[in-house]
Amino acid sequence: MASRKSITDATAASGTAEQPSGDRRQDILNAALACFAEGGMEAVSIEMVRQRCGASVGSIYHHFGSKEGVIAALFFDILAEQSQGVQSQLAKSKDVPAGVKALVMGYLDWVVAHPDRARFLFQARSVVAGGPRAQELAAHARERNLALLAWFEPHRRAGVLADIPCEVMPSLVMGPVQSYCRAWLAGSTGMPSPKKYRDTLALAAWKAVAA
């Protein structure tokens, strides 16, 4: 079987080496997401991604190194997009109840708007956690949690939030909506869109942490 290096070298030697455009990386990731959505994580190969986007095998390996590299790059790009969307909703909040509501609804609305991307995040997390970028994933989780703790703590000290450890609050606020969305994305029979329970989940989150 030809090695990754031999494939890349052969492509270059043939005179058909691809000249990547500025959007080539994103083209590959878009194609990969479409392949994963259609075929599942395990079944997709680099060749399937190549056929989908028209990139050379050498270009894909140049940008990402492996299939696992494609998964990790796509995972972190989507995770950053999701985090920014939720954070922007939180930043607009006028008071604490609105902030808790923003966390829940910002997440829920993003999932409903981008189901393939959200489903990929759930499916790919274990792959990334077991790969070479595991420390980066752990660092991202710490940064996210610290940001939430920094937001919750002043309100807890002021008596607006329940006097419970701030470390618990993100789970109380986000746990139910994440659980429902995950089950919905997995295709659980008879589950309505999370949109139907948008207000219910937001209210439950507020009641879980309100003083």
Side-chain angles (χ1 to χ4, degrees), residues 162-197:
D163 189 18
I164 56 178
C166 276
E167 292 81 359
V168 178
M169 288 189 180
S171 296
L172 292 175
V173 171
M174 300 303 298
V177 67
Q178 289 175 340
S179 177
Y180 189 91
C181 286
R182 183 169 193 161
W184 176 69
L185 290 167
S188 295
T189 305
M191 290 193 76
S193 166
K195 280 278 192 182
K196 180 175 181 179
Y197 302 116

mmCIF file of all heavy atoms in Angstrom, residues 162-197:
data_model
loop_
_atom_site.group_PDB
_atom_site.id
_atom_site.type_symbol
_atom_site.label_atom_id
_atom_site.label_comp_id
_atom_site.label_asym_id
_atom_site.label_seq_id
_atom_site.Cartn_x
_atom_site.Cartn_y
_atom_site.Cartn_z
ATOM 1 N N ALA A 162 -28.659 31.086 43.653
ATOM 2 C CA ALA A 162 -28.659 30.214 44.825
ATOM 3 C C ALA A 162 -27.240 30.071 45.380
ATOM 4 O O ALA A 162 -26.254 30.142 44.638
ATOM 5 C CB ALA A 162 -29.207 28.842 44.441
ATOM 6 N N ASP A 163 -27.152 29.872 46.664
ATOM 7 C CA ASP A 163 -25.861 29.737 47.321
ATOM 8 C C ASP A 163 -25.367 28.297 47.189
ATOM 9 O O ASP A 163 -25.332 27.525 48.146
ATOM 10 C CB ASP A 163 -25.963 30.140 48.792
ATOM 11 C CG ASP A 163 -24.590 30.228 49.457
ATOM 12 O OD1 ASP A 163 -23.589 30.324 48.713
ATOM 13 O OD2 ASP A 163 -24.524 30.182 50.686
ATOM 14 N N ILE A 164 -25.023 27.953 45.970
ATOM 15 C CA ILE A 164 -24.466 26.633 45.671
ATOM 16 C C ILE A 164 -23.139 26.861 44.955
ATOM 17 O O ILE A 164 -22.892 27.950 44.412
ATOM 18 C CB ILE A 164 -25.421 25.808 44.775
ATOM 19 C CG1 ILE A 164 -25.742 26.563 43.480
ATOM 20 C CG2 ILE A 164 -26.696 25.465 45.524
ATOM 21 C CD1 ILE A 164 -26.632 25.782 42.529
ATOM 22 N N PRO A 165 -22.245 25.875 44.971
ATOM 23 C CA PRO A 165 -20.948 26.067 44.315
ATOM 24 C C PRO A 165 -21.115 26.460 42.850
ATOM 25 O O PRO A 165 -21.905 25.845 42.115
ATOM 26 C CB PRO A 165 -20.275 24.700 44.445
ATOM 27 C CG PRO A 165 -20.928 24.077 45.623
ATOM 28 C CD PRO A 165 -22.359 24.557 45.600
ATOM 29 N N CYS A 166 -20.384 27.484 42.439
ATOM 30 C CA CYS A 166 -20.497 27.944 41.056
ATOM 31 C C CYS A 166 -20.082 26.875 40.055
ATOM 32 O O CYS A 166 -20.527 26.886 38.909
ATOM 33 C CB CYS A 166 -19.649 29.203 40.850
ATOM 34 S SG CYS A 166 -20.515 30.699 41.345
ATOM 35 N N GLU A 167 -19.210 25.943 40.512
ATOM 36 C CA GLU A 167 -18.784 24.871 39.609
ATOM 37 C C GLU A 167 -19.958 24.006 39.155
ATOM 38 O O GLU A 167 -19.902 23.375 38.096
ATOM 39 C CB GLU A 167 -17.736 23.980 40.300
ATOM 40 C CG GLU A 167 -16.404 24.653 40.553
ATOM 41 C CD GLU A 167 -16.394 25.521 41.797
ATOM 42 O OE1 GLU A 167 -17.451 25.621 42.472
ATOM 43 O OE2 GLU A 167 -15.352 26.101 42.093
ATOM 44 N N VAL A 168 -21.011 23.983 39.961
ATOM 45 C CA VAL A 168 -22.171 23.157 39.644
ATOM 46 C C VAL A 168 -23.123 23.863 38.686
ATOM 47 O O VAL A 168 -23.866 23.220 37.935
ATOM 48 C CB VAL A 168 -22.915 22.781 40.949
ATOM 49 C CG1 VAL A 168 -24.167 21.959 40.665
ATOM 50 C CG2 VAL A 168 -21.987 22.031 41.884
ATOM 51 N N MET A 169 -23.102 25.186 38.683
ATOM 52 C CA MET A 169 -24.124 25.948 37.961
ATOM 53 C C MET A 169 -24.143 25.707 36.446
ATOM 54 O O MET A 169 -25.240 25.587 35.870
ATOM 55 C CB MET A 169 -23.983 27.439 38.271
ATOM 56 C CG MET A 169 -24.415 27.773 39.688
ATOM 57 S SD MET A 169 -24.505 29.532 40.006
ATOM 58 C CE MET A 169 -25.044 29.525 41.721
ATOM 59 N N PRO A 170 -22.994 25.632 35.765
ATOM 60 C CA PRO A 170 -23.076 25.352 34.326
ATOM 61 C C PRO A 170 -23.803 24.055 34.011
ATOM 62 O O PRO A 170 -24.564 23.981 33.041
ATOM 63 C CB PRO A 170 -21.599 25.302 33.906
ATOM 64 C CG PRO A 170 -20.898 26.173 34.887
ATOM 65 C CD PRO A 170 -21.604 25.936 36.184
ATOM 66 N N SER A 171 -23.597 23.031 34.845
ATOM 67 C CA SER A 171 -24.292 21.757 34.617
ATOM 68 C C SER A 171 -25.785 21.882 34.860
ATOM 69 O O SER A 171 -26.600 21.299 34.127
ATOM 70 C CB SER A 171 -23.703 20.673 35.529
ATOM 71 O OG SER A 171 -22.355 20.427 35.215
ATOM 72 N N LEU A 172 -26.157 22.638 35.894
ATOM 73 C CA LEU A 172 -27.578 22.829 36.176
ATOM 74 C C LEU A 172 -28.274 23.616 35.069
ATOM 75 O O LEU A 172 -29.427 23.343 34.728
ATOM 76 C CB LEU A 172 -27.750 23.558 37.507
ATOM 77 C CG LEU A 172 -27.338 22.790 38.757
ATOM 78 C CD1 LEU A 172 -27.465 23.686 39.981
ATOM 79 C CD2 LEU A 172 -28.187 21.528 38.932
ATOM 80 N N VAL A 173 -27.555 24.594 34.520
ATOM 81 C CA VAL A 173 -28.142 25.442 33.477
ATOM 82 C C VAL A 173 -28.147 24.740 32.126
ATOM 83 O O VAL A 173 -29.169 24.705 31.432
ATOM 84 C CB VAL A 173 -27.377 26.776 33.385
ATOM 85 C CG1 VAL A 173 -27.821 27.574 32.156
ATOM 86 C CG2 VAL A 173 -27.596 27.596 34.648
ATOM 87 N N MET A 174 -27.016 24.153 31.739
ATOM 88 C CA MET A 174 -26.863 23.629 30.385
ATOM 89 C C MET A 174 -27.141 22.134 30.265
ATOM 90 O O MET A 174 -27.411 21.643 29.164
ATOM 91 C CB MET A 174 -25.446 23.919 29.884
ATOM 92 C CG MET A 174 -25.093 25.397 29.839
ATOM 93 S SD MET A 174 -26.240 26.382 28.819
ATOM 94 C CE MET A 174 -25.997 25.643 27.198
ATOM 95 N N GLY A 175 -27.056 21.408 31.371
ATOM 96 C CA GLY A 175 -27.228 19.956 31.296
ATOM 97 C C GLY A 175 -28.528 19.504 30.647
ATOM 98 O O GLY A 175 -28.508 18.706 29.700
ATOM 99 N N PRO A 176 -29.692 20.016 31.097
ATOM 100 C CA PRO A 176 -30.953 19.556 30.508
ATOM 101 C C PRO A 176 -31.101 19.878 29.023
ATOM 102 O O PRO A 176 -31.553 19.022 28.252
ATOM 103 C CB PRO A 176 -32.011 20.290 31.341
ATOM 104 C CG PRO A 176 -31.345 20.531 32.658
ATOM 105 C CD PRO A 176 -29.923 20.827 32.314
ATOM 106 N N VAL A 177 -30.716 21.077 28.607
ATOM 107 C CA VAL A 177 -30.888 21.429 27.194
ATOM 108 C C VAL A 177 -29.931 20.633 26.325
ATOM 109 O O VAL A 177 -30.284 20.199 25.224
ATOM 110 C CB VAL A 177 -30.729 22.957 26.974
ATOM 111 C CG1 VAL A 177 -29.302 23.423 27.236
ATOM 112 C CG2 VAL A 177 -31.155 23.333 25.553
ATOM 113 N N GLN A 178 -28.716 20.396 26.808
ATOM 114 C CA GLN A 178 -27.783 19.580 26.037
ATOM 115 C C GLN A 178 -28.274 18.142 25.925
ATOM 116 O O GLN A 178 -28.158 17.516 24.863
ATOM 117 C CB GLN A 178 -26.401 19.636 26.681
ATOM 118 C CG GLN A 178 -25.711 20.974 26.509
ATOM 119 C CD GLN A 178 -24.396 21.052 27.261
ATOM 120 O OE1 GLN A 178 -24.151 20.293 28.194
ATOM 121 N NE2 GLN A 178 -23.539 21.976 26.858
ATOM 122 N N SER A 179 -28.822 17.621 27.012
ATOM 123 C CA SER A 179 -29.331 16.253 26.994
ATOM 124 C C SER A 179 -30.490 16.108 26.012
ATOM 125 O O SER A 179 -30.543 15.147 25.232
ATOM 126 C CB SER A 179 -29.787 15.865 28.401
ATOM 127 O OG SER A 179 -30.340 14.572 28.413
ATOM 128 N N TYR A 180 -31.418 17.079 26.038
ATOM 129 C CA TYR A 180 -32.563 16.991 25.118
ATOM 130 C C TYR A 180 -32.097 17.108 23.670
ATOM 131 O O TYR A 180 -32.542 16.344 22.800
ATOM 132 C CB TYR A 180 -33.592 18.076 25.429
ATOM 133 C CG TYR A 180 -34.878 17.858 24.645
ATOM 134 C CD1 TYR A 180 -35.914 17.109 25.190
ATOM 135 C CD2 TYR A 180 -35.019 18.349 23.355
ATOM 136 C CE1 TYR A 180 -37.076 16.864 24.467
ATOM 137 C CE2 TYR A 180 -36.170 18.110 22.616
ATOM 138 C CZ TYR A 180 -37.202 17.368 23.170
ATOM 139 O OH TYR A 180 -38.340 17.112 22.447
ATOM 140 N N CYS A 181 -31.226 18.070 23.412
ATOM 141 C CA CYS A 181 -30.753 18.273 22.039
ATOM 142 C C CYS A 181 -30.008 17.056 21.520
ATOM 143 O O CYS A 181 -30.156 16.679 20.354
ATOM 144 C CB CYS A 181 -29.853 19.515 21.968
ATOM 145 S SG CYS A 181 -30.742 21.078 22.086
ATOM 146 N N ARG A 182 -29.221 16.444 22.380
ATOM 147 C CA ARG A 182 -28.476 15.264 21.952
ATOM 148 C C ARG A 182 -29.426 14.134 21.567
ATOM 149 O O ARG A 182 -29.228 13.461 20.548
ATOM 150 C CB ARG A 182 -27.527 14.816 23.068
ATOM 151 C CG ARG A 182 -26.665 13.627 22.683
ATOM 152 C CD ARG A 182 -25.572 13.378 23.701
ATOM 153 N NE ARG A 182 -24.586 12.450 23.202
ATOM 154 C CZ ARG A 182 -23.371 12.317 23.684
ATOM 155 N NH1 ARG A 182 -22.986 13.068 24.708
ATOM 156 N NH2 ARG A 182 -22.529 11.436 23.191
ATOM 157 N N ALA A 183 -30.448 13.900 22.384
ATOM 158 C CA ALA A 183 -31.416 12.846 22.077
ATOM 159 C C ALA A 183 -32.169 13.167 20.791
ATOM 160 O O ALA A 183 -32.417 12.275 19.969
ATOM 161 C CB ALA A 183 -32.391 12.682 23.242
ATOM 162 N N TRP A 184 -32.521 14.425 20.600
ATOM 163 C CA TRP A 184 -33.229 14.833 19.382
ATOM 164 C C TRP A 184 -32.347 14.631 18.148
ATOM 165 O O TRP A 184 -32.801 14.096 17.130
ATOM 166 C CB TRP A 184 -33.644 16.295 19.506
ATOM 167 C CG TRP A 184 -34.290 16.851 18.270
ATOM 168 C CD1 TRP A 184 -35.514 16.517 17.755
ATOM 169 C CD2 TRP A 184 -33.742 17.838 17.387
ATOM 170 N NE1 TRP A 184 -35.766 17.243 16.607
ATOM 171 C CE2 TRP A 184 -34.690 18.067 16.364
ATOM 172 C CE3 TRP A 184 -32.548 18.566 17.379
ATOM 173 C CZ2 TRP A 184 -34.471 18.978 15.325
ATOM 174 C CZ3 TRP A 184 -32.328 19.483 16.354
ATOM 175 C CH2 TRP A 184 -33.285 19.668 15.349
ATOM 176 N N LEU A 185 -31.094 15.004 18.246
ATOM 177 C CA LEU A 185 -30.171 14.839 17.120
ATOM 178 C C LEU A 185 -29.927 13.372 16.796
ATOM 179 O O LEU A 185 -29.672 13.013 15.648
ATOM 180 C CB LEU A 185 -28.836 15.519 17.437
ATOM 181 C CG LEU A 185 -28.857 17.046 17.473
ATOM 182 C CD1 LEU A 185 -27.575 17.578 18.110
ATOM 183 C CD2 LEU A 185 -29.037 17.631 16.074
ATOM 184 N N ALA A 186 -29.998 12.522 17.827
ATOM 185 C CA ALA A 186 -29.791 11.087 17.615
ATOM 186 C C ALA A 186 -31.009 10.420 16.985
ATOM 187 O O ALA A 186 -30.963 9.236 16.650
ATOM 188 C CB ALA A 186 -29.459 10.404 18.934
ATOM 189 N N GLY A 187 -32.089 11.190 16.840
ATOM 190 C CA GLY A 187 -33.276 10.653 16.182
ATOM 191 C C GLY A 187 -34.186 9.861 17.079
ATOM 192 O O GLY A 187 -34.895 8.966 16.608
ATOM 193 N N SER A 188 -34.161 10.158 18.379
ATOM 194 C CA SER A 188 -35.052 9.442 19.295
ATOM 195 C C SER A 188 -36.501 9.576 18.834
ATOM 196 O O SER A 188 -36.969 10.669 18.500
ATOM 197 C CB SER A 188 -34.906 10.004 20.717
ATOM 198 O OG SER A 188 -33.613 9.752 21.214
ATOM 199 N N THR A 189 -37.194 8.468 18.808
ATOM 200 C CA THR A 189 -38.546 8.408 18.258
ATOM 201 C C THR A 189 -39.503 9.353 18.974
ATOM 202 O O THR A 189 -39.598 9.358 20.199
ATOM 203 C CB THR A 189 -39.094 6.965 18.366
ATOM 204 O OG1 THR A 189 -38.181 6.078 17.727
ATOM 205 C CG2 THR A 189 -40.461 6.863 17.706
ATOM 206 N N GLY A 190 -40.192 10.149 18.171
ATOM 207 C CA GLY A 190 -41.261 10.978 18.700
ATOM 208 C C GLY A 190 -40.820 12.251 19.391
ATOM 209 O O GLY A 190 -41.666 12.964 19.930
ATOM 210 N N MET A 191 -39.539 12.563 19.389
ATOM 211 C CA MET A 191 -39.091 13.774 20.090
ATOM 212 C C MET A 191 -39.312 15.001 19.211
ATOM 213 O O MET A 191 -38.747 15.094 18.121
ATOM 214 C CB MET A 191 -37.615 13.673 20.462
ATOM 215 C CG MET A 191 -37.331 12.660 21.551
ATOM 216 S SD MET A 191 -35.669 12.822 22.238
ATOM 217 C CE MET A 191 -35.885 14.283 23.262
ATOM 218 N N PRO A 192 -40.108 15.960 19.673
ATOM 219 C CA PRO A 192 -40.297 17.195 18.902
ATOM 220 C C PRO A 192 -39.008 18.003 18.849
ATOM 221 O O PRO A 192 -38.077 17.782 19.632
ATOM 222 C CB PRO A 192 -41.378 17.945 19.688
ATOM 223 C CG PRO A 192 -41.963 16.946 20.623
ATOM 224 C CD PRO A 192 -40.893 15.949 20.905
ATOM 225 N N SER A 193 -38.969 18.957 17.969
ATOM 226 C CA SER A 193 -37.829 19.861 17.894
ATOM 227 C C SER A 193 -37.639 20.566 19.232
ATOM 228 O O SER A 193 -38.614 20.900 19.916
ATOM 229 C CB SER A 193 -38.068 20.916 16.810
ATOM 230 O OG SER A 193 -37.132 21.979 16.930
ATOM 231 N N PRO A 194 -36.389 20.793 19.638
ATOM 232 C CA PRO A 194 -36.146 21.542 20.873
ATOM 233 C C PRO A 194 -36.830 22.902 20.896
ATOM 234 O O PRO A 194 -37.098 23.440 21.977
ATOM 235 C CB PRO A 194 -34.618 21.699 20.886
ATOM 236 C CG PRO A 194 -34.123 20.535 20.103
ATOM 237 C CD PRO A 194 -35.145 20.324 19.021
ATOM 238 N N LYS A 195 -37.119 23.451 19.722
ATOM 239 C CA LYS A 195 -37.814 24.746 19.657
ATOM 240 C C LYS A 195 -39.115 24.720 20.448
ATOM 241 O O LYS A 195 -39.523 25.725 21.032
ATOM 242 C CB LYS A 195 -38.117 25.099 18.192
ATOM 243 C CG LYS A 195 -36.955 25.677 17.415
ATOM 244 C CD LYS A 195 -36.816 27.163 17.684
ATOM 245 C CE LYS A 195 -35.866 27.819 16.700
ATOM 246 N NZ LYS A 195 -35.699 29.262 16.990
ATOM 247 N N LYS A 196 -39.766 23.555 20.462
ATOM 248 C CA LYS A 196 -41.047 23.449 21.143
ATOM 249 C C LYS A 196 -40.896 23.701 22.640
ATOM 250 O O LYS A 196 -41.822 24.206 23.298
ATOM 251 C CB LYS A 196 -41.643 22.054 20.904
ATOM 252 C CG LYS A 196 -42.992 21.849 21.584
ATOM 253 C CD LYS A 196 -43.602 20.505 21.214
ATOM 254 C CE LYS A 196 -44.971 20.331 21.884
ATOM 255 N NZ LYS A 196 -45.604 19.038 21.518
ATOM 256 N N TYR A 197 -39.738 23.353 23.201
ATOM 257 C CA TYR A 197 -39.523 23.463 24.644
ATOM 258 C C TYR A 197 -38.505 24.546 24.985
ATOM 259 O O TYR A 197 -37.898 24.509 26.056
ATOM 260 C CB TYR A 197 -39.072 22.107 25.197
ATOM 261 C CG TYR A 197 -40.071 21.014 24.928
ATOM 262 C CD1 TYR A 197 -39.761 19.931 24.118
ATOM 263 C CD2 TYR A 197 -41.356 21.075 25.469
ATOM 264 C CE1 TYR A 197 -40.684 18.936 23.860
ATOM 265 C CE2 TYR A 197 -42.291 20.086 25.216
ATOM 266 C CZ TYR A 197 -41.949 19.013 24.411
ATOM 267 O OH TYR A 197 -42.877 18.030 24.151
#
